[in-house]
Amino acid sequence: MAGVGAELDQLRAALQRGLGQQLDQLTRDDLGPRVDELVVENAGLVADFAEARKRADELVRQLAEVQDDLAGARLSLRRMIWENNQPGPG
């Protein structure tokens, strides 16, 4: 009986090793295509980020332009108000 138990343990261990190897192989086989998918997705995200960064830079430039225009308009308005408040010839 003791021999049967030992043989059973050996068979169980061999089965576990075999299943582990199969699982490792399946995982490796699945990882290759998944890595490829992630590489493609990452490239798309990098391109999207570059595009968004370019757009953000353009918006920053436009904002600076608008702020300059606003500052000029405020200065002109102050000048007009000051000129209108000056006493006329009298």
Side-chain angles (χ1 to χ4, degrees):
M1 278 308 242
V4 172
E7 186 178 348
L8 184 59
D9 288 342
Q10 288 175 349
L11 289 173
R12 184 177 291 131
L15 179 62
Q16 287 174 344
R17 280 192 304 275
L19 289 174
Q21 288 173 349
Q22 288 178 3
L23 183 59
D24 287 345
Q25 186 61 40
L26 286 173
T27 303
R28 272 188 235 114
D29 291 345
D30 291 342
L31 283 180
R34 180 65 179 140
V35 167
D36 292 341
E37 289 173 19
L38 291 173
V39 167
V40 169
E41 186 176 342
N42 186 54
L45 292 173
V46 167
D48 291 347
F49 177 78
E51 202 173 301
R53 184 67 189 169
K54 184 178 176 182
R55 180 71 177 132
D57 290 345
E58 176 62 21
L59 290 172
V60 167
R61 186 193 64 72
Q62 288 176 1
L63 177 61
E65 219 174 90
V66 168
Q67 287 174 333
D68 288 346
D69 291 346
L70 179 59
R74 284 180 176 159
L75 183 60
S76 294
L77 180 59
R78 283 188 197 122
R79 192 173 297 132
M80 286 173 39
I81 291 170
W82 183 81
E83 288 172 358
N84 285 335
N85 287 330
Q86 295 304 308

